[in-house]
């Protein structure tokens, strides 16, 4: 045995020493019972062994205990399981004496040894934590009970939780341990078949153990005994108690991880059953070992259970031969299923690899018979339990493998197993690889998850990568040079060319080193771990288990007994039928010497890095990209403003405008200056609306009250003057009493101005006409508010015009004068004349006022720009007459006999209109020319 | 959804409904209330006009005081505004001199602006088909040509030629079809908009 | 007075020329004239508003009216004060109440006017086109019928053109029904005719204004030359 590293102080002490020479912490258990009690790890191992014996039932039981899902089932199953265990225990007791000779013994030794190793580790850890002693004892007792009966798979599975919890710590004793060992030896056979469904990890472990046992069989019994003694001695130590706590922690982590295992398990169990059945015995021990730990954990609630144990537990229950596999499948975490579905299914190569991984397991199984050396088992156990926290090696491997396995698919696996069973016997080689693969697998998984969206594929590829990397890997062995066993050191020297630290034990894991620093149990926990990973309980657990395993792995190699070296599979021993590995390199040193396709432990160091940052870039293929580009282009075309083609301007706008203005002015000025005498044709036949207008005014009695609305903008004052002056003169000539109103601020002023001009026109046209006195005209002023004021004015005119345009200076109400005319409402007016240039204003008058007029006619003088829109009101009869524009005004003047100087204006107006026609035709002509030219150009170019 | 400006909405709806009912229900009380409401609205319209003017003056005032980009034309505006306001308030709108503000400043200026429109329209008539093309543009062009001729008065509606008279009369009344459709559309639109306001669906006042 | 008239005439003349200078493009002369015009208009409107609305409708009732009248006059006064808050961004929200009042009143008046003045009467007028007894403008009954059909068709088609409600067709395209679509196309023609008439009318109105200004300028020049 090499030196052991004290878990407390981390310094090396001789393996033989029970107490750390540096810190005084007990390293090895003194008594088996103590061992079982104190260290959960030992118990775990034992239970695990028991499970193996009990056809992996124990592990299941543990798992069931640990896993919240399983508990309900356990109760019912307990009895059977207990009975089996008892039977086994009895059997073991009987065979206890023969243990050394029988395979069972070696197996036991192996189991015990590893247990011892890990027990030591556990003890150390326990010493630190100190609490779990009782618990450990409990579960140890359970283990004892379980072991003694018989490890029948059914019972084990069912009774897992119960048995564990029930077992008293005190029961554990050397004799019990021996019994267990013996039971393990016997159990495997029976349990094998049942355990098949069990988690792959369990199977693997079970397989491995038997192999070890087989191989170990050759190992001297003395070593085993000594190892057992050590274990015993170590147990009582308080450190072991602490270890238990630690173990519990990592077990808990495992428990978290469990879900993943269960997923795998179902498949594995289904697929693997063949080999499991084929080698019921061999797998048993491993299973028992694995389960043992879980059992111990299982004794106590998930909290107490070590994290790494949880996964196996969960796995075991689900896959449990009893048919719990289905629940396990249900329990499988999503990511595992996804991985299994995607990666494993897709890549056959991966399957091959998985098969490879299994191969060595198979080989182990096959070798189980041969491996009986206690040395091997202890080392493995230590490695497994390292579990302690981790023995993570085996377990992690198992779990990982299980993960892989399902992916790989059992079918191939079975075949591989068989082949391996036939040939390979290098348990050790297998074991380390397992451990490595397991660790690496975990890391790889984590990395792959983190790095690649394809989680599964990477995992699968892991083995290859590891193998390839092995030589290149940086030596990051957890073992100190001193601790390293000779063969390990040799292997390290060989494998690691440039490694600083020669020791690169197969068990050592990068994770372990990193884990040391990391507070969190899981190596991935921390900054490096992506959120989703960290969040993933299963992964985290896995990682935690790996870490623990790594730590233990460090210790384990240190404990590697000499027999382990002897057990190293030699190339000659290596089965020729071993599956071809992708990497041709074979392990030349260390326990794995002679094995190909071994997962390089060193790779972990290189592979375990910060999870790469996921790029948010969208991965798309070319076709997708082209489509996306197309779509983007279309969108841009839609969104982007269309380029407005700039008009070709032969000449500046202002120049053209100036030319047009000059042309128009010159054309208009001529008639204005010439004052043509000829009468335009239009004046001879006024429009019908003008005739109606005239008729309405003509029928007005003299002195009739007339309401005139001057609702036009100052800009149209000229046109309105031309249009309305004749009609206004006509009204004034009839001595109409005019009330002016306006909804335009300037209206009142315009009204007075226009009325004055109309009076002039009337005076000019009719010499005898005397413009009405002020009493005949009242300016009602301005109505603010448009429609609303018009509505008010139509209903309550007196209220609407309170002041009048002249204000309240005259003292009375403005409406007093209309009232004198007999007008109290708008309907009392004889006529309502609206002068407006705006369609809306005209419409407002028609809509708001006209309905209130009753029989009073409403006529309108409007601009030519509004007449087309107001004509419908004329046609509908709402407007009795309409004069529009200069032409209409001139027609009315001529008709009413109030023509004035407007004639010259009308001539100018006619010229301007003809000029407008000419401009339009000119534009049309240019357009035709341009289009023709463009066509010719186009045809010539074509 | 939270109702915006519930008070304002209630006021708008209440006032609107009362005034609207007044169109159809000749109830004395209703008519009195309606008249009162309308009177207040007219008063508010006057105040609103003042508010608009004040806002415009404020804009020009800021332009004048603007440090970066002073608009000296706004000085002209402010001067014209203040002088007119002061003089108007002093002499009242009915003052003959103050009326010159309309007749000698506003009318010539506004009329000249409209006269400029004549030049612009003549210029645009040159390019009627250059900016827009298609059936609508052609119809519009033909219609414009026809009515320019009709408005010129060179085609008198004489009773001497009944057929021509009927044709010209028909042409003169032809725009009425589209105009009536537009008027009906506008009426429908205003009615819809008004109803939406009265029902509280539209709240242009709560901005 | 004649001097004042001459001054005002000269002012008008100058203003006319300044604004007409826009023919050669935007220039300071035009800008000065336009700003002056806007300023004068604003001042004038303010004066008119004060004299025609504020004083008689808000102030007088408070000073001269009876107690009930004074009470009632407070309402528009308060509303007016609230409306003045529109000038302040800080309190502009208070102005929404009088604005709501105005909008509500305006909406009601618009609805009533549209229904009473346009919708009913214009629909009846469209129908009356076929009333031969009414003796339309056209003496020939055949022509009257044809004209009535054309008018009704044009009116309906124009309304269809403004019909913007559409349904999603089976081919997922949002369109109006075929009938409405066809009518809308016909309505487009009628609208184009009406717009052409309006264009001619606007041109005629502008030309009239131009003639008036030219006449004014010629008169001023003639007076200046003569005097």
């Amino acid at each position: 045995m090499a030196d052991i590293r004290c878990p407390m102080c981390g310094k090396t002490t001789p393996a033989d020493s029970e107490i750390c020479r540096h810190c005084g912490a007990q390293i090895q258990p003194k008594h088996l019972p103590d061992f079982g009690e104190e260290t959960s790890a030992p118990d775990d191992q034992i239970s695990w062994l028991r499970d193996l014996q009990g056809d992996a039932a124990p592990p299941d039981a543990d798992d069931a205990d640990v896993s919240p899902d399983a508990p309900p089932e356990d109760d019912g199953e307990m009895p059977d399981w207990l009975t089996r265990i008892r039977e086994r225990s009895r059997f073991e007791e009987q065979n206890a004496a023969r243990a050394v000779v029988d395979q069972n013994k070696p197996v036991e030794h192996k189991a015990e040894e590893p247990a011892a190793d890990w027990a030591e580790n556990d003890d150390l850890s326990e010493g630190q934590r100190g609490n779990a002693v009782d618990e450990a004892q409990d579960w140890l007792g359970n283990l004892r009970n379980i072991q003694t009966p018989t490890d029948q798979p059914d019972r084990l599975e069912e009774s897992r939780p119960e048995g564990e919890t029930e077992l008293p710590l005190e029961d554990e004793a050397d004799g019990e341990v021996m019994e267990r060992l013996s039971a393990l030896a016997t159990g495997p056979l029976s349990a094998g078949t049942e355990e098949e469904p069990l988690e792959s990890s369990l199977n693997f472990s079970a397989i491995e153990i038997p192999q070890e046992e087989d191989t170990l069989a050759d190992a001297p019994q003395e070593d085993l005994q000594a190892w057992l003694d050590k274990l015993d001695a170590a147990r009582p130590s308080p450190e072991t108690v602490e270890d238990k706590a630690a173990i519990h922690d990592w077990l808990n982590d495992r428990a978290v991880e469990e879900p993943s295992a269960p997923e795998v398990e179902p498949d594995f169990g289904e697929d693997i059953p063949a080999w499991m059945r084929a080698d019921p015995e061999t797998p048993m021990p491993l299973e028992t070992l694995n389960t043992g730990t879980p059992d111990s954990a299982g004794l106590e609630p998930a909290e107490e259970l070590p994290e790494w144990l949880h996964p196996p537990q969960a796995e075991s229950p689900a896959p449990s031969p009893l048919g719990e596999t289905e629940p396990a499948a249900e329990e499988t975490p999503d990511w595992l299923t996804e991985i299994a579905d995607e990666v494993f299914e897709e890549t056959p190569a991966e399957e091959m690899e998985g098969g490879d991984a299994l191969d060595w397991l198979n080989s182990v199984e096959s070798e189980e018979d041969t491996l009986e050396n206690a040395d091997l088992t202890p080392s493995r156990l230590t490695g497994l339990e390292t579990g302690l926290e981790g023995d993570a090696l085996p377990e992690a491997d198992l779990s990982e493998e299980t993960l892989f396995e399902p992916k790989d698919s059992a079918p191939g696996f079975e075949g591989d197993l068989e082949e391996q069973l036939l040939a390979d016997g290098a348990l050790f080689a297998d074991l380390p690889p397992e451990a490595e693969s397991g660790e690496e697998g975990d890391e790889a998984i984590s990395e792959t998850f983190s790095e690649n969206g394809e989680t599964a594929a990477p995992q699968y590829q892991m083995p290859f990568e590891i193998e390839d990397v092995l030589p290149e890997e940086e030596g990051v062995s957890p073992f100190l040079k001193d601790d390293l066993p000779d063969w390990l050191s040799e292997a390290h020297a060989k494998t690691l060319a440039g490694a600083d630290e020669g020791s690169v034990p197969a068990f050592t894991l990068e994770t372990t080193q990193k884990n040391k620093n990391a507070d969190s149990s899981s190596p991935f926990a921390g900054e490096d771990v992506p959120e989703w990973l960290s969040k993933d309980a299963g992964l985290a657990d896995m990682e935690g288990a790996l870490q623990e395993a790594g730590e233990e792995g460090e210790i384990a190699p240190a404990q590697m007994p000499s027999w382990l070296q002897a057990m190293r599979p030699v190339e000659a021993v290596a089965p020729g039928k071993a599956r071809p590995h992708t990497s041709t390199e074979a392990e030349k040193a260390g326990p794995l010497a002679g094995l190909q396709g071994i997962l390089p432990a060193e790779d972990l160091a290189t592979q375990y890095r910060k999870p790469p940052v996921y790029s948010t870039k969208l991965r798309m293929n070319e076709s997708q990209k082209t489509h996306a580009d197309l779509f983007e282009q279309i969108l841009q075309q839609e969104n982007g403003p269309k380029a407005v083609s700039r008009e070709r301007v032969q000449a500046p706008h202002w120049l053209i405008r100036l030319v047009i203005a000059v042309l128009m002015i010159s054309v208009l000025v001529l008639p204005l200056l010439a004052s043509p005498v000829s009468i335009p044709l239009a004046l001879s036949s006024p429009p019908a609306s003008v005739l109606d207008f005239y008729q309405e005014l003509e029928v007005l009695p003299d002195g009739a009250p007339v309401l005139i609305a001057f609702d036009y903008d100052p800009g149209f004052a000229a046109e309105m003057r031309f249009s309305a002056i004749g009609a206004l003169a006509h009204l004034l000539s009839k001595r109409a009493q005019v009330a002016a109103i306006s909804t335009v601020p300037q209206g009142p002023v315009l009204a007075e101005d226009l009325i004055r001009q109309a009076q002039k026109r009337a005076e000019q046209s009719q010499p005898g006409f005397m413009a009405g006195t002020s009493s005949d005209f009242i300016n009602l002023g301005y109505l603010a508010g448009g429609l609303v004021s018009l509505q008010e004015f139509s209903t309550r005119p007196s209220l609407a015009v309170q002041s009048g345009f002249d204000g309240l200076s005259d003292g009375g109400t403005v409406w007093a004068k209309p009232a004198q005319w007999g007008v109290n409402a708008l309907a009392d007016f004889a006529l309502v004349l609206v002068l407006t240039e705006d369609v809306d204003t005209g419409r407002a008058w028609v809509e708001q006022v006209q309905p209130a007029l009753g029989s009073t006619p409403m006529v309108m003088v409007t601009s030519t720009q509004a007449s087309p829109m107001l004509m419908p009101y004329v046609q509908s009869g709402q407007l009795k007459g309409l004069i529009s524009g200069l032409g209409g005004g001139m027609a009315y003047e001529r008709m009413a006999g109030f023509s004035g100087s407007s004639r010259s204006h009308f001539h100018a107006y006619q010229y301007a209109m003809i000029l407008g026609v000419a401009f339009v035709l000119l534009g049309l002509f240019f357009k035709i020319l341009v289009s023709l030219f463009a066509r010719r150009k186009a045809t010539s170019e074509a | 959804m939270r109702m915006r400006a519930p008070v304002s909405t209630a006021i708008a709806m209440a006032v609107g409904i009362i005034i609207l009912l007044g169109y159809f229900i000749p109830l004395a009380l209703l008519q009195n209330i309606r008249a009162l409401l309308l009177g207040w609205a007219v008063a508010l319209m006057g105040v609103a006009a003042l508010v608009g003017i004040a806002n415009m003056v404020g804009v020009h005032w800021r332009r004048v005081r603007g440090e970066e980009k002073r608009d000296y034309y706004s000085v002209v505006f402010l001067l014209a505004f203040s002088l007119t306001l002061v003089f108007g308030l002093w002499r009242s709108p009915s003052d003959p001199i103050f009326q010159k503000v309309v007749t000698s400043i506003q009318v010539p200026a506004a009329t000249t602006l409209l006269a400029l429109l004549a030049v612009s329209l003549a210029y645009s008539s040159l390019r009627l088909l250059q900016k827009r093309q298609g059936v609508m543009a052609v119809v519009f062009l033909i219609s414009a040509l026809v009515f320019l001729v009709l408005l010129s008065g060179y085609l008198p509606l004489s009773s001497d030629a009944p057929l021509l008279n009927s044709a010209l009369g028909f042409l003169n009344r032809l725009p009425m079809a589209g105009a009536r459709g537009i008027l009906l559309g506008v009426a429908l639109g205003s009615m819809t908009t008004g109803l939406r306001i009265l029902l509280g669906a539209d709240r242009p006042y709560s901005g | 007075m004649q001097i004042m008239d001459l001054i005002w005439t000269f002012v008008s003349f100058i203003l006319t020329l300044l604004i007409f200078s826009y023919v050669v493009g935007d220039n300071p002369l035009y800008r000065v004239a336009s700003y002056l015009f806007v300023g004068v208009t604003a001042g004038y409107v303010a004066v008119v508003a004060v004299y025609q609305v504020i004083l008689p409708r808000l102030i007088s009732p408070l000073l001269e009216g009876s107690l009930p009248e004074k009470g009632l006059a407070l309402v528009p006064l308060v509303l007016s004060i609230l409306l003045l808050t529109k000038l302040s961004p800080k309190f502009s929200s208070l102005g929404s109440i009088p604005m709501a009042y105005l909008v509500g009143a305006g909406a009601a008046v618009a609805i009533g006017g549209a229904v009473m003045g346009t919708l009913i009467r214009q629909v009846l007028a469209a129908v009356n086109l076929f009333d031969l007894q009414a003796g339309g403008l056209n003496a020939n009954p055949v022509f009257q019928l044809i004209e009535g059909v054309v008018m009704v068709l044009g009116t309906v088609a124009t309304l269809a053109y403004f019909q913007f409600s559409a349904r999603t067709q089976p081919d997922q395209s949002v369109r109006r029904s075929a009938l409405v679509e066809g009518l809308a196309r016909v309505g487009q023609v009628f609208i184009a005719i009406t717009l052409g008439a309006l264009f001619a009318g606007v041109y005629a109105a502008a030309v009239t204004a131009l003639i008036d200004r030219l006449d004014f300028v010629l008169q001023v020049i003639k007076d200046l030359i003569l005097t």
Side-chain angles (χ1 to χ4, degrees), chain A residues 290-303:
Chain A
N290 294 337
T291 56
T293 50
D295 288 349
S296 63
L299 294 175
E300 298 175 357
E303 297 177 354

PDB file of all heavy atoms in Angstrom, chain A residues 290-303:
ATOM      1  N   ASN A 290     -22.050  -0.702  -5.357  1.00  0.00           N
ATOM      2  CA  ASN A 290     -22.675   0.574  -5.663  1.00  0.00           C
ATOM      3  C   ASN A 290     -23.899   0.795  -4.800  1.00  0.00           C
ATOM      4  O   ASN A 290     -24.070   1.833  -4.204  1.00  0.00           O
ATOM      5  CB  ASN A 290     -23.089   0.613  -7.133  1.00  0.00           C
ATOM      6  CG  ASN A 290     -21.881   0.589  -8.026  1.00  0.00           C
ATOM      7  OD1 ASN A 290     -20.803   0.960  -7.585  1.00  0.00           O
ATOM      8  ND2 ASN A 290     -22.051   0.156  -9.248  1.00  0.00           N
ATOM      9  N   THR A 291     -24.693  -0.225  -4.813  1.00  0.00           N
ATOM     10  CA  THR A 291     -25.932  -0.061  -4.072  1.00  0.00           C
ATOM     11  C   THR A 291     -25.651   0.102  -2.596  1.00  0.00           C
ATOM     12  O   THR A 291     -26.363   0.801  -1.909  1.00  0.00           O
ATOM     13  CB  THR A 291     -26.832  -1.276  -4.276  1.00  0.00           C
ATOM     14  OG1 THR A 291     -26.094  -2.433  -3.898  1.00  0.00           O
ATOM     15  CG2 THR A 291     -27.274  -1.380  -5.711  1.00  0.00           C
ATOM     16  N   GLY A 292     -24.598  -0.590  -2.225  1.00  0.00           N
ATOM     17  CA  GLY A 292     -24.296  -0.505  -0.811  1.00  0.00           C
ATOM     18  C   GLY A 292     -24.179   0.918  -0.352  1.00  0.00           C
ATOM     19  O   GLY A 292     -24.788   1.316   0.612  1.00  0.00           O
ATOM     20  N   THR A 293     -23.417   1.612  -1.054  1.00  0.00           N
ATOM     21  CA  THR A 293     -23.300   3.018  -0.679  1.00  0.00           C
ATOM     22  C   THR A 293     -24.643   3.700  -0.707  1.00  0.00           C
ATOM     23  O   THR A 293     -25.022   4.372   0.240  1.00  0.00           O
ATOM     24  CB  THR A 293     -22.322   3.718  -1.628  1.00  0.00           C
ATOM     25  OG1 THR A 293     -22.688   3.409  -2.957  1.00  0.00           O
ATOM     26  CG2 THR A 293     -20.916   3.296  -1.348  1.00  0.00           C
ATOM     27  N   PRO A 294     -25.311   3.514  -1.781  1.00  0.00           N
ATOM     28  CA  PRO A 294     -26.623   4.137  -1.829  1.00  0.00           C
ATOM     29  C   PRO A 294     -27.482   3.666  -0.680  1.00  0.00           C
ATOM     30  O   PRO A 294     -28.225   4.444  -0.110  1.00  0.00           O
ATOM     31  CB  PRO A 294     -27.228   3.671  -3.152  1.00  0.00           C
ATOM     32  CG  PRO A 294     -26.229   2.808  -3.804  1.00  0.00           C
ATOM     33  CD  PRO A 294     -24.970   2.831  -3.007  1.00  0.00           C
ATOM     34  N   ASP A 295     -27.368   2.419  -0.396  1.00  0.00           N
ATOM     35  CA  ASP A 295     -28.198   1.905   0.684  1.00  0.00           C
ATOM     36  C   ASP A 295     -27.945   2.693   1.949  1.00  0.00           C
ATOM     37  O   ASP A 295     -28.864   3.126   2.624  1.00  0.00           O
ATOM     38  CB  ASP A 295     -27.897   0.438   0.927  1.00  0.00           C
ATOM     39  CG  ASP A 295     -28.438  -0.391  -0.195  1.00  0.00           C
ATOM     40  OD1 ASP A 295     -29.213   0.168  -1.012  1.00  0.00           O
ATOM     41  OD2 ASP A 295     -28.097  -1.551  -0.270  1.00  0.00           O
ATOM     42  N   SER A 296     -26.674   2.793   2.212  1.00  0.00           N
ATOM     43  CA  SER A 296     -26.357   3.519   3.431  1.00  0.00           C
ATOM     44  C   SER A 296     -27.000   4.882   3.390  1.00  0.00           C
ATOM     45  O   SER A 296     -27.603   5.347   4.328  1.00  0.00           O
ATOM     46  CB  SER A 296     -24.846   3.674   3.571  1.00  0.00           C
ATOM     47  OG  SER A 296     -24.366   4.451   2.491  1.00  0.00           O
ATOM     48  N   ALA A 297     -26.830   5.474   2.227  1.00  0.00           N
ATOM     49  CA  ALA A 297     -27.465   6.776   2.074  1.00  0.00           C
ATOM     50  C   ALA A 297     -28.956   6.622   2.162  1.00  0.00           C
ATOM     51  O   ALA A 297     -29.642   7.428   2.763  1.00  0.00           O
ATOM     52  CB  ALA A 297     -27.095   7.386   0.732  1.00  0.00           C
ATOM     53  N   GLY A 298     -29.349   5.539   1.538  1.00  0.00           N
ATOM     54  CA  GLY A 298     -30.776   5.341   1.486  1.00  0.00           C
ATOM     55  C   GLY A 298     -31.369   5.194   2.863  1.00  0.00           C
ATOM     56  O   GLY A 298     -32.525   5.489   3.078  1.00  0.00           O
ATOM     57  N   LEU A 299     -30.584   4.720   3.772  1.00  0.00           N
ATOM     58  CA  LEU A 299     -31.094   4.570   5.119  1.00  0.00           C
ATOM     59  C   LEU A 299     -31.697   5.871   5.596  1.00  0.00           C
ATOM     60  O   LEU A 299     -32.761   5.915   6.177  1.00  0.00           O
ATOM     61  CB  LEU A 299     -29.951   4.167   6.051  1.00  0.00           C
ATOM     62  CG  LEU A 299     -29.377   2.792   5.751  1.00  0.00           C
ATOM     63  CD1 LEU A 299     -28.189   2.538   6.648  1.00  0.00           C
ATOM     64  CD2 LEU A 299     -30.443   1.721   5.879  1.00  0.00           C
ATOM     65  N   GLU A 300     -30.990   6.882   5.282  1.00  0.00           N
ATOM     66  CA  GLU A 300     -31.470   8.177   5.706  1.00  0.00           C
ATOM     67  C   GLU A 300     -32.096   8.899   4.517  1.00  0.00           C
ATOM     68  O   GLU A 300     -31.830   8.559   3.381  1.00  0.00           O
ATOM     69  CB  GLU A 300     -30.304   8.996   6.264  1.00  0.00           C
ATOM     70  CG  GLU A 300     -29.699   8.352   7.478  1.00  0.00           C
ATOM     71  CD  GLU A 300     -28.499   9.092   7.926  1.00  0.00           C
ATOM     72  OE1 GLU A 300     -28.139  10.057   7.232  1.00  0.00           O
ATOM     73  OE2 GLU A 300     -27.935   8.719   8.937  1.00  0.00           O
ATOM     74  N   PRO A 301     -32.846   9.863   4.855  1.00  0.00           N
ATOM     75  CA  PRO A 301     -33.497  10.616   3.781  1.00  0.00           C
ATOM     76  C   PRO A 301     -32.487  11.170   2.806  1.00  0.00           C
ATOM     77  O   PRO A 301     -31.284  11.170   3.043  1.00  0.00           O
ATOM     78  CB  PRO A 301     -34.246  11.734   4.503  1.00  0.00           C
ATOM     79  CG  PRO A 301     -33.835  11.664   5.928  1.00  0.00           C
ATOM     80  CD  PRO A 301     -33.234  10.332   6.166  1.00  0.00           C
ATOM     81  N   ALA A 302     -33.006  11.669   1.761  1.00  0.00           N
ATOM     82  CA  ALA A 302     -32.149  12.161   0.688  1.00  0.00           C
ATOM     83  C   ALA A 302     -31.141  13.154   1.218  1.00  0.00           C
ATOM     84  O   ALA A 302     -30.037  13.247   0.724  1.00  0.00           O
ATOM     85  CB  ALA A 302     -33.001  12.817  -0.403  1.00  0.00           C
ATOM     86  N   GLU A 303     -31.527  13.866   2.214  1.00  0.00           N
ATOM     87  CA  GLU A 303     -30.619  14.879   2.728  1.00  0.00           C
ATOM     88  C   GLU A 303     -29.326  14.247   3.203  1.00  0.00           C
ATOM     89  O   GLU A 303     -28.243  14.698   2.901  1.00  0.00           O
ATOM     90  CB  GLU A 303     -31.275  15.606   3.894  1.00  0.00           C
ATOM     91  CG  GLU A 303     -32.531  16.353   3.449  1.00  0.00           C
ATOM     92  CD  GLU A 303     -33.193  16.989   4.618  1.00  0.00           C
ATOM     93  OE1 GLU A 303     -32.740  16.753   5.756  1.00  0.00           O
ATOM     94  OE2 GLU A 303     -34.175  17.723   4.420  1.00  0.00           O
TER      95      GLU A 303
END
